[in-house]
Amino acid sequence: MPQGPFPPHESEGNDTQITFRWDPTGHANEYDFSLSKASGVMYEFDGRDIAITRDLRSVGAADIDGDGDLDLYSALTGVAGDQQSRIEWYRNLGGNPPLFLTLTASTAINGAMEAAAADMNHDGLMDLLSASFFDNKIAWYENNGIVPPDFTQHVIADNVRGAIAVFPVDMDRDGDMDVLSASALGDGIFWHERINLVEPAGFYTRNVDNTSGAASDVIAADLTGNSYPDIIATYSSSDSVVWYEHSGLVPSSLVARHVITTTAEGASSVAAADIDGDGDMDLVVSSEVDRTVAWYESDGQPVPTFTEHVISNSANGVRNVAIGDVDGDGRLDVLAAINALDRVVYYRQVDADEVTFETHPVSEDIQRAWDVTVAPLTSSVSADVITASAGNGKIQHFDFKRRHVFEDKLETEAEDLKTNQYFHPELLDPDSGYAWRITAKNRLTTETVITTSGPIWVFSTGVPDLAIEAGSLVAEPAFVEQGDPFLVRWTETNPGSSTGDGHWSRVVASPDAEITGSGNDIVLGEAWTNPIGPGTSVPQQIQADSSGLDLGSYTLAVLVDFYDHEKDESNENNIFTADKPLVIIEQNAVGNWHLFQ
């Protein structure tokens, strides 16, 4: 089998040749070789089941057991009176990707539609909340702090007819957690103000709006910039999105009702974030009847107005939306759970200046997809997508992946590729980036083997004066008990005269000090660095997991530019190792003496 070319984290190109440094071991003469370029990038997700339950209506993430990693929680609706409705949570047991243990927080509920998490009683523990349709109940569940915790239900209100949404927020800025809720049977929006911390059920309930019809969702966000949360609600029966302005006065009051739109047919959910990066809060709204996912741009005024921009009008039966930087490029993306199409869709923001989106499926096999959220469950710099299915009752975790689509084979002589070890790129555009792939086809068996792939940059006038350097690579602590997390820190510097395009860096631990980024190097994590200006340094870090490392000593290294070529002028600037080894020791062995050899 032919081996090579050089490691895919570093490749060079210019206007004369691309060097492959091919190592024709084995029987290279039995193979024909060809070079292909990528016609595009495919954004995909690797999925796995976390839990299989039934009738899921919501999913969220929080550190429920206080161990430093994110757990998940959900609401299971059941059928009225069948005793199957409950609030579940899924304890993160660690690993990359993590394993989860399914636990029940409460079954004292009928028709759970949404769950949420917040510290409701100032004890430093994450409690849970619920809205339940059939018993008209808003409740919170007190975490008792044991490992794993048990929960005690406290009813906040039992008269929110058809309770469909719950959202914890400190509306009056008094340090106590208040609760918002929504009624799907025409009673509108409620604000449950916490007035007595000693009494678990010490809430005063006020009806914010009972004139807009059947509510479908409610959230809070500061739309006016006065540091007080305003309320935003969607109403499915009146096709409207409405926000309620917070006065900022104490005692708190809502001074005005503002209608954003009355044409979101079957408005089903709303999320808030600064989509366009201009410093004010925008909204993303789903409406299931007109099959629309849209973002509403704030004009940034003290009392803002909003302009609708349609992201998609083919989201048939869309139930919920979420916002997050899924691909780690610094731009906020949008996800939608589309019930009628059994899918969750990722709308990737591709242009921050124009705020345009392109559509990619997360999965097209999520039966009656109902909810979606974004959370960093793994050590990857990209976010993870978690979905809830009302059909097959699955909580699923999807890990984001970039994959190149290779087409357009470039003509090249096989002998040139094997013996001369370079390829003349007349067919490539100058000053452009390409992903490339070498394939080897056995002449006797016709078996095709993909041998390697990676980036190529083609320059019309040579390589720019740019080099990314890394320094001060350290692990904290240097001695790590097997299974414990640890922090890896380093600094990246551009000593050149040009600004690059941003890049990925990969952190590895090598048992033999031969750093390649593959082979027996163990990947600890990856980090994205935005473009670095000339003479500028930026700090970087990842939290690594030692559970995949055996006992012993490792060379710690960071490989700068692991994926996307930063137009470095030298291979020598790409791999940096720590001054001292990383040592994995047994649990409870920190008190023993260890000596660096």
Side-chain angles (χ1 to χ4, degrees):
M1 179 66 64
Q3 302 292 322
F6 49 90
H9 65 268
E10 176 61 39
S11 55
E12 299 280 347
N14 55 37
D15 61 333
T16 57
Q17 66 182 33
I18 297 172
T19 304
F20 287 101
R21 295 195 284 277
W22 181 262
D23 179 18
T25 59
H27 301 284
N29 290 334
E30 296 179 2
Y31 290 85
D32 290 323
F33 299 88
S34 61
L35 174 70
S36 300
K37 73 175 181 180
S39 60
V41 177
M42 182 177 293
Y43 299 92
E44 297 179 330
F45 295 82
D46 291 338
R48 65 191 183 96
D49 295 344
I50 289 177
I52 302 177
T53 56
R54 63 193 302 269
D55 297 327
L56 287 164
R57 290 299 189 275
S58 78
V59 64
D63 183 8
I64 295 172
D65 54 5
D67 63 356
D69 51 33
L70 287 177
D71 310 297
L72 303 176
Y73 55 85
S74 69
L76 287 71
T77 300
V79 179
D82 73 350
Q83 305 300 313
Q84 294 299 312
S85 183
R86 58 189 180 272
I87 301 299
E88 283 187 346
W89 70 286
Y90 312 93
R91 189 183 181 201
N92 189 330
L93 301 178
N96 192 22
L99 299 175
F100 289 86
L101 175 66
T102 300
L103 298 164
T104 298
S106 178
T107 58
I109 192 171
N110 194 353
M113 292 299 294
E114 186 168 45
D119 181 5
M120 296 297 296
N121 54 353
H122 288 225
D123 62 356
L125 303 174
M126 193 63 66
D127 307 302
L128 297 173
L129 300 96
S130 68
S132 45
F133 186 91
F134 296 126
D135 57 9
N136 310 314
K137 186 190 298 182
I138 304 298
W140 72 281
Y141 304 84
E142 185 176 0
N143 184 334
N144 68 357
I146 66 174
V147 180
D150 293 324
F151 294 86
T152 301
Q153 184 190 78
H154 304 291
V155 177
I156 297 172
D158 59 5
N159 59 350
V160 180
R161 292 191 309 133
I164 195 171
V166 62
F167 191 92
V169 58
D170 184 5
M171 285 294 297
D172 48 9
R173 298 286 301 277
D174 64 353
D176 302 331
M177 193 62 68
D178 309 309
V179 178
L180 303 176
S181 67
S183 161
L185 296 180
D187 292 342
I189 302 302
F190 294 87
W191 170 7
H192 311 279
E193 182 181 356
R194 191 68 185 265
I195 58 174
N196 187 344
L197 268 182
V198 177
E199 171 56 46
F203 291 85
Y204 172 74
T205 296
R206 63 185 76 178
N207 196 188
V208 175
D209 182 0
N210 62 2
T211 65
S212 297
S216 51
D217 199 11
V218 63
I219 64 170
D222 181 12
L223 301 183
T224 62
N226 67 355
S227 299
Y228 281 82
D230 307 295
I231 299 174
I232 309 102
T234 55
Y235 294 90
S236 57
S237 63
S238 60
D239 305 327
S240 58
V241 182
V242 181
W243 71 280
Y244 306 89
E245 182 182 349
H246 196 302
S247 67
L249 300 176
V250 178
S252 298
S253 62
L254 300 172
V255 296
R257 173 182 180 271
H258 304 277
V259 177
I260 295 175
T261 183
T262 58
T263 61
E265 298 180 33
S268 55
S269 72
V270 60
D274 183 7
I275 296 292
D276 52 4
D278 63 355
D280 48 46
M281 195 65 67
D282 308 302
L283 301 174
V284 173
V285 174
S286 65
S287 45
E288 59 180 331
V289 175
D290 62 12
R291 308 181 302 176
T292 298
V293 175
W295 76 281
Y296 289 80
E297 180 182 4
S298 170
D299 64 3
Q301 297 301 308
V303 180
T305 58
F306 294 84
T307 302
E308 181 190 37
H309 304 280
V310 174
I311 298 173
S312 173
N313 57 9
S314 60
N316 188 11
V318 58
R319 289 300 311 177
N320 281 291
V321 290
I323 303 171
D325 182 9
V326 175
D327 55 2
D329 66 355
R331 296 187 290 263
L332 288 177
D333 310 304
V334 175
L335 293 116
I338 305 176
N339 180 271
L341 299 180
D342 296 335
R343 68 181 57 171
V344 169
V345 172
Y346 159 49
Y347 302 106
R348 178 176 177 264
Q349 188 178 161
V350 295
D351 188 334
D353 294 330
E354 299 295 330
V355 192
T356 56
F357 295 85
E358 60 185 19
T359 302
H360 303 275
V362 175
S363 175
E364 297 181 346
D365 188 27
I366 303 177
Q367 297 178 21
R368 294 177 58 207
W370 203 275
D371 199 14
V372 60
T373 192
V374 181
L377 293 185
T378 62
S379 60
S380 172
V381 68
S382 56
D384 300 286
V385 177
I386 301 96
T387 64
S389 160
N392 56 17
K394 287 185 177 182
I395 298 286
Q396 291 177 287
H397 167 215
F398 294 90
D399 188 17
F400 174 79
K401 301 292 183 185
R402 270 185 195 84
R403 292 186 176 94
H404 290 291
V405 180
F406 289 95
E407 297 176 0
D408 303 330
K409 182 182 294 185
L410 303 180
E411 298 298 330
T412 180
E413 295 292 335
E415 288 303 315
D416 284 346
L417 189 58
K418 287 188 296 184
T419 60
N420 297 333
Q421 300 180 329
Y422 62 81
F423 170 68
H424 291 280
E426 288 87 353
L427 299 179
L428 302 183
D429 296 327
D431 299 316
S432 300
Y434 292 88
W436 54 268
R437 180 176 67 183
I438 300 288
T439 59
K441 185 174 183 179
N442 191 300
R443 294 172 180 169
L444 298 178
T445 66
T446 70
E447 176 189 8
T448 298
V449 179
I450 299 174
T451 58
T452 191
S453 61
I456 283 179
W457 277 88
V458 181
F459 304 116
S460 57
T461 56
V463 180
D465 180 19
L466 171 71
I468 304 300
E469 298 179 348
S472 305
L473 178 64
V474 296
E476 299 175 348
F479 292 103
V480 178
E481 292 189 358
Q482 191 177 41
D484 287 351
F486 61 99
L487 190 67
V488 181
R489 296 187 296 109
W490 70 96
T491 301
E492 296 187 3
T493 303
N494 178 7
S497 59
S498 302
T499 300
D501 303 316
H503 60 272
W504 292 87
S505 296
R506 172 172 285 188
V507 180
V508 301
S510 174
D512 56 13
E514 294 183 7
I515 309 297
T516 65
S518 58
N520 61 358
D521 289 351
I522 300 168
V523 178
L524 300 178
E526 296 172 352
W528 169 260
T529 302
N530 288 322
I532 304 176
T536 303
S537 298
V538 296
Q540 272 289 19
Q541 68 178 40
I542 64 164
Q543 180 166 305
D545 181 7
S546 66
S547 59
L549 300 177
D550 295 329
L551 300 179
S553 181
Y554 294 83
T555 298
L556 191 66
V558 59
L559 286 68
V560 182
D561 282 353
F562 192 82
Y563 292 114
D564 296 320
H565 199 283
E566 183 82 25
K567 305 180 184 178
D568 288 351
E569 60 179 319
S570 170
N571 294 338
E572 298 175 358
N573 291 327
N574 276 10
I575 300 175
F576 298 87
T577 57
D579 294 335
K580 294 182 179 180
L582 169 71
V583 182
I584 305 300
I585 59 178
E586 295 179 354
Q587 285 283 338
N588 304 316
V590 174
N592 299 333
W593 285 96
H594 296 271
L595 178 67
F596 286 109
Q597 299 299 320

